[in-house]
Structures are given as structure tokens and as C-alpha cells.
Amino acid sequence: MAAPRDGFEAVEAEGSSGCRGSSGMEVVLPSDPAVPAPLCPHGPTLLFVKVTQGKEETRRFYACSACRDRKDCNFFQWEDEKLSGARLAAREAHNRRCQPPLSRRQCVERYLKFIELPLTQRKFCQRCQQLLLPDDWGQHSEHQVLGDVSITQLRRPSQLLYPLENKKTNAQYLFADRSCQFLVDLLSALGFRRVLCVGTPRLHELIRLTASGDKKSNIKSLLLDIDFRYSQFYMEDSFCHYNMFNHHFFDGKTALEVCRAFLQEDKGEGIIMVTDPPFGGLVEPLAITFKKLIAMWKEGQSQDDSHKELPIFWIFPYFFESRICQFFPSFRMLDYQVDYDNHALYKHGKTGRKQSPVRIFTNIPPNKIILPTEEGYRFCSLCQRYVSLENQHCEHCNSCTSKDGRKWNHCFLCKKCVKPSWIHCSICNHCAVPDHSCEGPKDGCFICGELDHKRSTCPNIATSKRANKAVGKQKQRKSNKMKMETTKGQSMNHTSATRRKKRRERAHQYLGS
């Protein structure tokens, strides 16, 4: 899962709340929505702005939606920047060079040829992460090649492919078999017949494996993922190369229609979307993308069903709960801890603070979701939902309040339950970690400091923008004045140097005569 954008400061701190006195990055709408965003190799870029309490808003800029490291995608353009025709042509050429070497149709044709080969001729290049046809063998003769690739292995491409573990770009962590099997069993128990897997390749695999091995299972799956390597393992109706941060289908309208048909099949009945985004990704662009997928699903609904919601499982760390619920108020967080195979910390069996922080956010009523009692979950008759064993019901809050799997303590001064390691600070007038700074950052709006809203919804945002614009113009005038003075000084220095040089030349001539 991804880390915040390198060089863009921290995007969202724990809890995704702004901090007074600190800087942050926000995704904003363009000044003219009718003008399309410029394109990078990963599709339409996003418009960002850096905001800091007490300091002016800097110029808005476009940057890559998917990569958080400029080394991986160095796209950068000011919102008001005008580019020459030569630069635009160079950018288009660069974007074309960065696309996968094979088209989606070519990948499908190669796959059909590959599965017809005898077992001894089925080879996979581990260095290039590519299925090899006999004509390709010569080009990969010095590479590490895996032979005798079975049909079973082809059905589990996530075990053939190396996970993309660049934390600033892809950070591809894969569900552990325990969590994956739990999800498949739960989806089946809830009666879903189709699953739109957005960034969940291992779940997609297990659903297809279960369907092929169990005649009773009739669940179908479509995978949307930014990892183009999966193109070589699936037919066009099973995989779409997709960027979830900007709702971009790399293969254009053809892939878009595949997704649309999948969502609207059976008039949209019996489908659920399961998504596992990179943890460092901004919640807002993800929410915008998911709402576009929801709108696509609703296109196939009748007027009588307009009140219905597309069932969703959004898998994300628990400390993003308030941010997710801001965009999807009907979502509730389940206590189930999702764990990953190739993550050092997010594994099953950890205790205390070492437990996986990853949870499932859903608009399905929690009382319909049964969590496995053998893994330490119990049913709370008061809350009418399954909770972790140590998540005790608080009679004062009238809820099982723990978020991280530990027993939380009720603070009567704060009138809520808090983490067991927190203490009430009389100076800050709320609970915090014992070694916190009372002068430190506080949650709230960057502009006015109020706690009940964010900067983007602040009623004073227009006044703040005007003030910031005035400050910006003043700084620009000061900068221009300094540049003029510098230029004037350099000109005077140049004149003085020329005079000194001429005096030295005359003196040399006099001494030589």
C-alpha cells in the first residue's frame, strides 16, 4: 500500500484530519471544469494545492494521480501554465512510450496460444515477468526462466508475479489466504453472484478458482487493476487495466463497456464491489471514482430502485473511518482484521498495538455479517453486530467502542472511550498520548481552526482566497522589484569592471612603451 506523495509533504495524517500549524495537500476542482486535465502515462492528472494555516495558498498544480514519487512519474504542470506545441507533442510521445509493449488484444491472443502449448513448452520469464511463447525463448535465454507452468499456476498469477513493493508507487500487498477465504465465504453467504474486484487480484483469483472447482458456486468476478501484467493471464471480460484514482480505463471505451455491462447485468442485482486501495492514497479521489462506478451501476436501475445502494466492501485502515464516512455516511466499520501475505506487520495472530489496522467499511448492515468465532470474534447483543473479543461494550457510550482490537477506557471528562495508552490532559482539555506536546498541532480547519469542518467546506474560504491572492500579488511585486535591483546592480558592476579593465590595458601600454 502506498505512502504519501514524495516531496508533496504528508497528504493525510492518521485520522485524515488537517493540522493547524502544519502543511497538507488537497485535491481540488479545476477553475474551469470544462477544460480536461492534462494527461500523464497513468491517465488524467489530478489538481493539487498545498495549504498551510496562517500562510497563503500556493499555486495549484497538476500531478500524477497514481505515483507518489517524482522518480516514477515526473509529471508536473501549474494550473495556469501555457505549454508550447512542441512541449505538448513531446509529452504525448513520452506517454505513448510509457504504455505496455503489448495491446490488450495481443495479450489475449498470446494467452490463447500459451495454454495450447504442451506443459514442457510453457515457460515464464521471472526477470521480465512475462509468459513466453517459443518464438520468445531466444530473447530470454540468459534470464531466469520458470518451466512447466501448469494451468493451476496460470489461475494464480499473483503467485507467479513478483509483488510491486515500491512503497512510493505501487506497494502491492496481497491478501493472506485466511482473509481471502473469509471474504469469498462471506460473499457467498450474503448471496452475491458477481463481484467487481477493484485492486484485489488475489480475491479475483480465489473467486474464479472456487467457481471452477465447485459446481454450486456461481459467483463471477471482474478485476480492475493498475498492474498491466495481469493482462497476459485473463480474457477481456475478466480484467481491465484501470487506475482507481482517476477512473481511467487504459484500453479506452472497450474496457469501459466491459465494466458497464458487468455492473448492469441482471438489472444490477446480485453484485458487490470490493476494493483494497493503496493506504497512502487520498480518500477524496477514491471516493469520487467509486461514486462514478456507483453511477454507472445505477444507469441500469429502474426508477423504482433509485433508492438502492451498490453494496461495497472498502478495505482500509481504521484511522480513516471519519474521512470515509464523510463521503459515504451509510458506511460502517467492521471489527474484522484483514491481513496480508507480504506485509511485515499486517499479519494474523499479532496482539496489542501490533495487530493489523486494516478493516472493512461497508454499507451492508453489520448484523448481517457473521465474523468467525474461532478467530476471536463474538456477537454483541446490545450493538447487534460481531466485534473482536477485547472490544467490550461501554454502558456510557452504549457501544462497543474499540477500533484497534484492544479494550478502550471511558474518559468521563471527554465523554467518550479512548485508547488504553492515552491520558486526559488538563491543559489540552482532551485525552492524548502521555508525551504529547500541548502546543502541538490540533485537528480542525486550516483557515479558521474550527473542529467541525475542513478547509474545503469553510464558510470563510472565499475571504481567505482573496486575502491570499492579495498577499501573493504583494510578494510578486516585491520579487519583481528585487529582480530589477539585482539586474541594475549587475549592470553597474559590469560597467565598473569594464572601466578597470581599460585602465589596466592603458597602464600596460604605458609601461611597455
Side-chain angles (χ1 to χ4, degrees), residues 274-288:
V274 182
T275 181
D276 182 31
F279 295 162
L282 286 167
V283 170
E284 184 170 0
L286 289 170
I288 291 171

Side-chain angles (χ1 to χ4, degrees), residues 440-479:
K442 298 179 181 179
D443 293 343
C445 173
F446 277 120
I447 295 172
C448 66
E450 294 296 328
L451 302 178
D452 60 348
H453 63 266
K454 296 290 179 185
R455 170 194 165 277
S456 57
T457 56
C458 181
N460 300 323
I461 190 168
T463 306
S464 172
K465 284 183 176 180
R466 285 195 298 269
N468 290 336
K469 192 173 182 180
V471 171
K473 286 183 177 179
Q474 185 178 355
K475 284 194 171 186
Q476 187 64 44
R477 286 195 296 268
K478 185 177 179 180
S479 175

